[in-house]
Amino acid sequence: MPVEVRDLPVFARRLRFLRERAGLTQRELGRRIGMQENAASPRINQYESGTHVPRLETAQALAKELKVPVAYLFADGERLARMILAYSQLSAAEQEAILREIERGNRVG
C-alpha cells in the first residue's frame, strides 16, 4: 500500500513540494547540489520518501537551490513554515521591526 503524501515526514513533504514547484526532476535537483549523476535520483527519492533524512550540509544545499531557508524544510507546523517563508522574503529592516514587536510581546496585526 503506497504511503500518502500527508503521512510522510515534514522534510519529505516539503522537499517534494519545492522540487516539483521548481519543475525539477529528482536527478536534476541532486546534480545541482553536487551529487554524482548515478546517485542523484535515488538519494533525492530517499529523502522524499522519508527513508532517509539528509545531513545538515545536504539539507542546506537543497534549501539554497530551492531558494528557501533550511528551517522551512524542518518546521513542524504549517503556520510556522509559512511564517519562515514570509519572514525570509522581507528586507532586513522589516525583519528587525517584526522581531522587535514579537520580543516586546505585542501582537502583530
Side-chain angles (χ1 to χ4, degrees):
M1 176 186 254
V3 175
E4 293 288 329
V5 172
R6 70 177 181 272
D7 295 331
L8 291 171
V10 168
F11 183 92
R13 286 195 320 265
R14 294 214 177 101
L15 177 61
R16 180 177 176 181
F17 167 75
L18 291 169
R19 178 186 57 77
E20 289 176 348
R21 184 178 77 173
L24 299 171
T25 65
Q26 291 175 337
R27 174 169 279 126
E28 288 172 312
L29 178 58
R31 284 182 36 230
R32 286 184 179 201
I33 66 162
M35 292 179 178
Q36 293 180 346
E37 177 79 28
N38 62 341
S41 183
R43 285 184 62 200
I44 298 298
N45 182 273
Q46 289 173 343
Y47 301 151
E48 289 184 5
S49 68
T51 305
H52 294 287
V53 177
R55 293 182 13 209
L56 180 58
E57 296 81 10
T58 303
Q60 289 170 327
L62 288 164
K64 182 177 180 182
E65 182 62 36
L66 295 166
K67 298 174 178 54
V68 297
V70 72
Y72 171 78
L73 292 168
F74 292 100
D76 62 356
E78 290 308 310
R79 182 176 293 135
L80 178 59
R82 289 176 29 224
M83 289 288 295
I84 290 167
L85 281 181
Y87 184 83
S88 72
Q89 295 168 0
L90 299 174
S91 70
E94 291 168 321
Q95 288 177 349
E96 187 59 35
I98 288 173
L99 187 56
R100 280 195 307 269
E101 282 294 314
I102 292 169
E103 288 174 343
R104 276 198 300 255
N106 295 330
R107 297 195 116 177
V108 178

